[in-house]
Amino acid sequence: MAAGAQTDLLKTALYDRHVDAGGRMVEFGGYALPVQYAGIVAEHNHTREAASLFDVSHMGQVVVTGPDHKTTIAALEALTPADLASLEPGQMRYTVLLNDEGGIEDDLIITRPAKEQEPDGVMYMVVNAARKHHDLQFIRAKATAEVTFDLRDDLALIALQGPRAAEALGKHCEITEKLGFMQAGPTVIGGIAANVSRSGYTGEDGFELSVANKDAPALFDLLVADPLVEPAGLGARDSLRLEAGLCLYGHDMTDTVDPVSASLLFAIGKRRRAEGGFTGADAVLARVASGPDDKRVGIRFEGRQPVREGAELVDAGGTVIGKITSGTFAPTAQASIAMGYVPAEIAKEGEPVTAMVRGKPIAGTIAKMPFVPQRYYRKPA
């Protein structure tokens, strides 16, 4: 959908920068956002080779505030299966928000702020754009009154992703030297106060920069002035995350899919699997014990024909056994790749599968994910 076809779309603080830079604007999660500038493949390749700037301000940034750290952590652990009690200041964790049946209401990142940032009892969350208002309603219905959840629409979020992202950002601040993957802290970038995390959703080293909306255009200008950095749109972000084997909410996981079936067991802390005590625990832990009926897998298809979301997977007799949830022709992997759900008994690397695309069978093989190596920066021990 062209953004111009609707006048009620929300705009991020960088909307004018996207239009001025030639971004082709589309609707995504209720916002007008660029799907591409120079072209999806060019932006994908630049991200893998240097550094790209993505506007992810449509995501929901939430501040969680309780009377003390113990109370806040207890409230968050009642909502999610993550081991949050073990987070040190400045550490962050990926997890999922579950309903009583164990279905995934959303996936999210939870951060314990660095000591110098916030008083004891404050945590940060980042949730998906299309789910943020739903998430807050869902969370507030379950949380105790002594812990509050505040959506910060006054903040923008910029992702700088790529193997040279640290080099580009390091020209303006020193925090890049301090952070390893999934660590966060405050800094000043060209005079702009920012909360920086070493994270992202492309499989590359990179950073997410949370700044006040009023400062986002100046930060955009500062970063794209670097020859290493180019703006990139939603199209490249999607092909990058798919190559990295990362789920997209509403596609690879939904409120009827549990984290075991979605191959997201790592989002459930080992301690939490033993103790339970989170929303949906009975259903999820029963599924951990019994194993899933269907499981999310990666698939490589023969040829260059993309196999898109919704394509059915069939067995040798033509019976439908599963469905594709994301698919594309991957610029770095140089292959037609996809994620989808298949019966657990065939969810093994090397198993053959067949997808039907407009009545034509496309042969594929279940493949190990990620499809290209992830290059997150991990600090030396």
Side-chain angles (χ1 to χ4, degrees):
M1 176 192 305
Q6 291 194 359
T7 58
D8 56 350
L9 293 179
L10 299 171
K11 297 177 181 177
T12 72
L14 294 177
Y15 176 84
D16 290 342
R17 291 297 190 276
H18 299 318
V19 173
D20 291 346
R24 186 161 74 83
M25 308 301 284
V26 299
E27 187 276 337
F28 185 82
Y31 285 80
L33 289 165
V35 66
Q36 65 178 47
Y37 298 87
I40 292 173
V41 173
E43 292 162 23
H44 178 112
N45 290 336
H46 185 80
T47 310
R48 292 276 185 243
E49 295 164 1
S52 295
L53 188 154
F54 299 86
D55 180 10
V56 290
S57 303
H58 55 303
M59 306 283 281
Q61 298 186 67
V62 179
V63 176
V64 186
T65 306
D68 53 62
H69 183 65
K70 184 178 179 180
T71 303
T72 303
I73 291 300
L76 289 172
E77 286 202 344
L79 291 166
T80 76
D83 179 358
L84 302 173
S86 64
L87 282 177
E88 298 291 335
Q91 290 185 333
M92 53 204 302
R93 189 151 291 156
Y94 174 91
T95 189
V96 287
L97 186 65
L98 300 175
N99 56 37
D100 291 336
E101 293 72 41
I104 302 172
E105 293 288 329
D106 202 359
D107 64 335
L108 60 157
I109 297 283
I110 297 177
T111 302
R112 183 177 182 181
K115 284 184 178 178
E116 64 271 31
Q117 276 183 284
E118 298 283 1
D120 190 45
V122 174
M123 300 283 282
Y124 302 151
M125 298 194 323
V126 176
V127 302
N128 280 297
R131 300 293 282 178
K132 57 188 177 185
H133 296 294
H134 162 86
D135 289 354
L136 283 176
Q137 186 176 16
F138 181 88
I139 288 169
R140 285 169 175 158
K142 289 182 173 292
T144 59
E146 59 189 338
V147 178
T148 61
F149 296 81
D150 298 310
L151 182 63
R152 294 290 303 273
D153 284 332
D154 59 322
L155 298 176
L157 193 62
I158 293 172
L160 184 65
Q161 299 284 295
R164 302 187 74 178
E167 180 183 347
L169 186 62
K171 296 173 183 176
H172 308 289
C173 63
E174 296 179 350
I175 198 168
T176 56
E177 301 172 4
K178 301 176 182 176
L179 301 181
F181 181 55
M182 298 299 276
Q183 293 182 327
T187 192
V188 176
I189 306 168
I192 298 169
N195 286 326
V196 178
S197 64
R198 198 156 196 166
S199 63
Y201 221 59
T202 62
E204 294 292 337
D205 184 21
F207 303 86
E208 290 193 347
L209 319 172
S210 175
V211 299
N213 281 333
K214 64 180 179 57
D215 294 328
L219 183 57
F220 179 97
D221 294 342
L222 179 70
L223 294 173
V224 299
D226 191 317
L228 293 176
V229 180
E230 293 182 359
L234 296 168
R237 186 172 172 80
D238 193 53
S239 57
L240 289 158
R241 69 94 193 164
L242 180 50
E243 281 188 334
L246 302 172
C247 292
L248 181 62
Y249 193 83
H251 301 263
D252 310 300
M253 52 187 163
T254 68
D255 61 4
T256 61
V257 175
D258 66 84
V260 185
S261 302
S263 299
L264 295 174
L265 202 55
F266 71 92
I268 307 173
K270 185 176 179 181
R271 173 177 63 82
R272 307 305 308 283
R273 286 182 228 174
E275 297 177 357
F278 53 88
T279 300
D282 289 347
V284 170
L285 296 180
R287 185 56 56 87
V288 171
S290 66
D293 297 328
D294 298 303
K295 192 172 181 182
R296 179 177 65 93
V297 295
I299 304 169
R300 283 179 183 260
F301 289 101
E302 297 176 2
R304 299 177 67 88
Q305 168 73 53
V307 180
R308 306 290 188 187
E309 178 181 359
E312 292 180 332
L313 296 166
V314 299
D315 63 16
T319 301
V320 175
I321 59 169
K323 185 174 286 187
I324 296 299
T325 52
S326 293
T328 191
F329 185 83
T332 305
Q334 282 294 295
S336 175
I337 63 171
M339 293 183 197
Y341 283 81
V342 299
E345 58 267 26
I346 68 164
K348 303 167 188 171
E349 189 176 346
E351 284 283 338
V353 292
T354 300
M356 299 302 295
V357 178
R358 294 187 290 277
K360 177 184 175 183
I362 308 291
T365 304
I366 293 177
K368 183 179 179 181
M369 292 192 288
F371 295 99
V372 300
Q374 294 171 336
R375 298 193 287 189
Y376 306 130
Y377 174 72
R378 304 192 187 272
K379 292 174 70 176

